[in-house]
Amino acid sequence: GQNIDQPTEMTATEGAIVQINCTYQTSGFNGLFWYQQHAGEAPTFLSYNVLDGLEEKGRFSSFLSRSKGYSYLLLKELQMKDSASYLCAVNSGAGSYQLTFGKGTKLSVIP
Amino acid sequence: GAVVSQHPSRVICKSGTSVKIECRSLDFQATTMFWYRQFPKQSLMLMATSNEGSKATYEQGVEKDKFLINHASLTLSTLTVTSAHPEDSSFYICSALRASDSYEQYFGPGTRLTVT
């Protein structure tokens, strides 16, 4: 089966840096995604990693190590609006496209 | 950017009735659309994958006769919850895969279904 683990909740201070980890064990791997989801809303795309290394996009960065089945999302200069759930998802389809989502990490940013 | 709409955003129905949810890609053609269900404080669970003009592929445990999916065009997919029960109350989210870049799913805003 597919298994994606990430912490349930995290709290960080406004202006700080926070790292959200994700480990995965899937039957296949065709890329890893991070999504942001505010309560009652649909997820919005943050990042995509298919090769090992760091992808940087503004205040958000995402890292992937395929050999370790590990990724992290790094959020810098935290703002109150960053309070949301962050979902790690793996495309595990072999020849097809199939996303498996983790349960999400609820991040609370405090003043 | 790529925009996906869903209609309705919220619906309340009585037990035993059917509800149709529409998912549209507004400014792109979607080769594939996905339907997810999300219960409170849970992650998104894929229900089915639909390709335009062909039958949907349902995930294990999802009843295809209860959750009818029609993908009639490259911009529209519908999910019909038939004979709804209170346990079907959930947040239903569709997403679309754009033909020109096949790695990113674009999500609709979701539909909150409440069955009384």
Side-chain angles (χ1 to χ4, degrees), chain B residues 5 19-20 50 54 87 106:
Chain B
S5 70
V19 173
K20 180 186 282 189
S50 75
S54 62
E87 55 264 33
Y106 298 92

Side-chain angles (χ1 to χ4, degrees), chain B residues 46-106:
Chain B
L46 180 65
M47 298 176 68
T49 302
S50 75
N51 293 292
E52 184 263 340
S54 62
K55 289 184 179 180
T57 303
Y58 290 81
E59 294 301 300
Q60 195 171 9
V62 178
E63 300 173 57
K64 61 180 180 181
D65 294 330
K66 180 173 179 60
F67 297 98
L68 303 178
I69 291 173
N70 186 294
H71 195 158
S73 75
L74 283 171
T75 59
L76 173 64
S77 176
T78 60
L79 168 68
T80 302
V81 183
T82 62
S83 187
H85 289 112
E87 55 264 33
D88 298 325
S89 298
S90 187
F91 193 47
Y92 291 86
I93 305 175
C94 74
S95 69
L97 204 56
R98 188 164 57 180
S100 59
D101 64 74
S102 58
Y103 72 91
E104 182 178 342
Q105 290 188 29
Y106 298 92

Side-chain angles (χ1 to χ4, degrees), chain A residues 33 35 37 40-45 48 87-88 91 97-104 106, chain B residues 34 36 38 41-44 46 49 59 91 93 97 102-105 107-110 112:
Chain A
F33 297 78
Y35 285 88
Q37 186 180 27
E41 299 180 10
T44 55
F45 172 80
Y48 171 67
L87 307 177
C88 173
N91 180 6
Y97 185 108
Q98 186 167 27
L99 276 190
T100 302
F101 282 84
K103 291 187 176 181
K106 184 178 179 182
Chain B
F34 304 87
Y36 294 87
Q38 186 176 34
K41 298 186 179 180
Q42 297 293 315
S43 191
L44 280 74
L46 180 65
T49 302
E59 294 301 300
F91 193 47
I93 305 175
L97 204 56
S102 58
Y103 72 91
E104 182 178 342
Q105 290 188 29
F107 284 86
R112 175 74 60 191

Side-chain angles (χ1 to χ4, degrees), chain A:
Chain A
Q2 321 289 20
N3 192 41
I4 299 179
D5 286 319
Q6 46 182 134
T8 305
E9 295 185 52
M10 297 182 73
T11 302
T13 306
E14 191 176 14
I17 299 173
V18 71
Q19 177 175 311
I20 303 174
N21 296 323
C22 171
T23 57
Y24 63 90
Q25 295 164 317
T26 55
S27 55
F29 182 84
N30 283 313
L32 185 144
F33 297 78
W34 283 96
Y35 285 88
Q36 180 190 62
Q37 186 180 27
H38 286 99
E41 299 180 10
T44 55
F45 172 80
L46 290 179
S47 69
Y48 171 67
N49 295 68
V50 67
L51 299 176
D52 290 351
L54 188 69
E55 293 281 341
E56 296 185 82
K57 189 186 293 185
R59 294 190 299 117
F60 292 26
S61 303
S62 57
F63 172 83
L64 174 67
S65 169
R66 288 172 296 171
S67 62
K68 295 182 179 178
Y70 168 71
S71 172
Y72 67 72
L73 178 69
L74 195 70
L75 292 78
K76 303 175 185 176
E77 300 170 15
L78 280 174
Q79 302 175 9
M80 299 299 289
K81 67 178 182 179
D82 296 329
S83 294
S85 285
Y86 291 85
L87 307 177
C88 173
V90 172
N91 180 6
S92 56
S96 65
Y97 185 108
Q98 186 167 27
L99 276 190
T100 302
F101 282 84
K103 291 187 176 181
T105 298
K106 184 178 179 182
L107 174 66
S108 298
V109 180
I110 58 176

